[in-house]
Amino acid sequence: FFFFFFLNRTRAVGTVFSPDSMAAKLLQGISPALITPFRSDGTLDEEVVPKLVEMHIAAGVGGFYICGSTGEGLSMTVDERMRMAEITVKAVAGRVPVVTMVAADNVQDSVKLAAHAKAAGCSAVSAVVPPFAPNDLPAAIAFWTAIGNASDLPFYIYWISGTVDSAVSPQEFITAARTIPHFRGFKYTDKDFFKFQMLLYYGQHELNAVTGPDEMMVAGLAMGSDGAIGSTYNVHPELAVRIYKEFRAGNVQVATKLQEQMNLIIAALIKYSQADVRGTNIIAGIKALYKLQHGVDVGVGRPARVSPMAPETQQELWKTVQEINAQFA
């Protein structure tokens, strides 16, 4: 699945995270790939974003990744994505990093979003391969270079399995990626951890790398990840933070058992949202649990990416999640 951070050191409230003041590795620990809340009329619900931010910071997350796959960025207009960045940065108020995914259907909009991210106060930008040219490394490098040139913010590649040129070796990929302006690391949403470790090796263990599959967070940490960005961390941030902290403390068996709890919840989300049919359907389940579990109405996903979930199915999902949590209490 998808997106990371509880920092190894305590961050003072009010500290502003700029490229000049950040540690070498900006992204560490657990962070949700934050959902984008919409009103019933489909417009961005600006009033809900600060509630989500406070909920997650209270849970101990170390940052936010916005407008990515879970945030439905590619189904939003450029203006909506810019506004989401502004609102999130304002709500976070410098307490943790905010990374925004800026890839769009064309280079011009992607560059505009990247330049705006700097002006809005984001901590870094990130991008998938160009949607119009998947599995083409030269096209991706050209796309990412244009984005990297748009500002001096750290740039993170968003690696999604099946979209990156599979014919390219990890060594060739890192060599090419190092030509991207301000390239700092990558978010790796792929279950091939052999390749992940090779990317770290050829990056000389200097790159800031975080993993994406929520269901394999512990595995990613064991293979050298600095943290994890995830979609399902939206609904159980405390559990995700605890897994990360237990692993870092050397309590691997405890972390693995907690991963089992998380994975049962993920399995329920997949089942009831039919994410096995269309991966982005999981957003419907996440949004349902925000309301049922946390009392925050974040609306529904946009039809282009998310199939609706019937109210009775939402209740079945919530009942199953409660049973799973009770089992591990």
Side-chain angles (χ1 to χ4, degrees), residues 1 15 50-51 68 84 97 146 158 161-162 166 169 200 204 219 259 268:
F1 282 73
T15 301
K51 297 178 183 178
M84 181 64 181
Y158 183 179
S161 175
S166 59
S169 72
L200 295 181
Q204 299 179 314
Q259 178 80 72

Side-chain angles (χ1 to χ4, degrees), residues 95-216:
R95 289 173 288 179
V96 295
V98 176
V99 182
T100 184
M101 206 287 287
V102 298
D105 291 332
N106 59 76
V107 176
Q108 292 78 12
D109 285 347
S110 304
V111 167
K112 183 177 181 179
L113 286 165
H116 174 266
K118 171 71 174 181
C122 292
S123 310
V125 294
S126 177
V128 295
V129 302
F132 48 84
N135 292 296
D136 184 338
L137 184 59
I141 295 299
F143 182 65
W144 293 330
T145 296
I147 291 170
N149 277 324
S151 80
D152 62 356
L153 290 178
F155 175 75
Y156 287 81
I157 291 171
Y158 183 179
W159 174 301
I160 299 179
S161 175
T163 66
V164 180
D165 193 339
S166 59
V168 176
S169 72
Q171 184 175 14
E172 291 169 329
F173 184 87
I174 291 298
T175 299
R178 284 193 180 281
T179 67
I180 302 167
H182 313 298
F183 172 57
R184 187 71 62 85
F186 53 92
K187 186 234 170 189
Y188 186 82
T189 301
D190 195 321
K191 296 178 183 179
D192 185 345
F193 284 121
F194 166 68
K195 185 174 290 183
F196 175 71
Q197 193 172 61
M198 290 298 95
L199 290 168
L200 295 181
Y201 174 79
Y202 288 113
Q204 299 179 314
H205 298 283
E206 296 173 349
L207 296 174
N208 189 184
V210 294
T211 51
D214 303 14
E215 65 273 27
M216 301 180 74

Side-chain angles (χ1 to χ4, degrees), residues 35-295:
I35 61 93
T36 301
F38 297 115
R39 300 187 184 92
S40 58
D41 63 0
T43 58
L44 180 64
D45 195 335
E46 299 186 10
E47 295 180 0
V48 172
V49 176
K51 297 178 183 178
L52 302 182
V53 167
E54 294 306 321
M55 169 188 143
H56 287 292
I57 288 181
V61 305
F64 296 93
Y65 189 100
I66 63 171
C67 295
S69 302
T70 309
E72 303 180 76
L74 290 174
S75 68
M76 296 165 66
T77 66
V78 170
D79 286 345
E80 285 175 328
R81 293 171 72 173
M82 291 167 62
R83 187 60 184 149
M84 181 64 181
E86 293 167 357
I87 299 166
T88 306
V89 168
K90 181 179 179 180
V92 170
R95 289 173 288 179
V96 295
V98 176
V99 182
T100 184
M101 206 287 287
V102 298
D105 291 332
N106 59 76
V107 176
Q108 292 78 12
D109 285 347
S110 304
V111 167
K112 183 177 181 179
L113 286 165
H116 174 266
K118 171 71 174 181
C122 292
S123 310
V125 294
S126 177
V128 295
V129 302
F132 48 84
N135 292 296
D136 184 338
L137 184 59
I141 295 299
F143 182 65
W144 293 330
T145 296
I147 291 170
N149 277 324
S151 80
D152 62 356
L153 290 178
F155 175 75
Y156 287 81
I157 291 171
Y158 183 179
W159 174 301
I160 299 179
S161 175
T163 66
V164 180
D165 193 339
S166 59
V168 176
S169 72
Q171 184 175 14
E172 291 169 329
F173 184 87
I174 291 298
T175 299
R178 284 193 180 281
T179 67
I180 302 167
H182 313 298
F183 172 57
R184 187 71 62 85
F186 53 92
K187 186 234 170 189
Y188 186 82
T189 301
D190 195 321
K191 296 178 183 179
D192 185 345
F193 284 121
F194 166 68
K195 185 174 290 183
F196 175 71
Q197 193 172 61
M198 290 298 95
L199 290 168
L200 295 181
Y201 174 79
Y202 288 113
Q204 299 179 314
H205 298 283
E206 296 173 349
L207 296 174
N208 189 184
V210 294
T211 51
D214 303 14
E215 65 273 27
M216 301 180 74
M217 186 216 300
V218 171
L221 292 171
M223 295 298 273
S225 174
D226 295 313
I229 304 173
S231 58
T232 64
Y233 307 153
N234 277 278
V235 295
H236 46 229
E238 297 92 346
L239 176 58
V241 168
R242 187 181 172 195
I243 293 171
Y244 178 79
K245 292 175 71 175
E246 293 287 2
F247 184 91
R248 290 297 187 221
N251 302 322
V252 178
Q253 288 186 329
V254 174
T256 302
K257 191 64 178 177
L258 292 170
Q259 178 80 72
E260 183 178 58
Q261 178 183 356
M262 176 181 285
N263 285 353
L264 287 170
I265 295 171
I266 291 172
L269 279 164
I270 293 171
K271 174 184 176 181
Y272 289 108
S273 65
Q274 295 186 314
D276 53 339
V277 177
R278 183 165 66 164
T280 52
N281 278 351
I282 201 166
I283 296 168
I286 291 169
K287 290 196 168 188
L289 287 179
Y290 258 121
K291 185 173 184 179
L292 296 170
Q293 183 173 348
H294 301 289

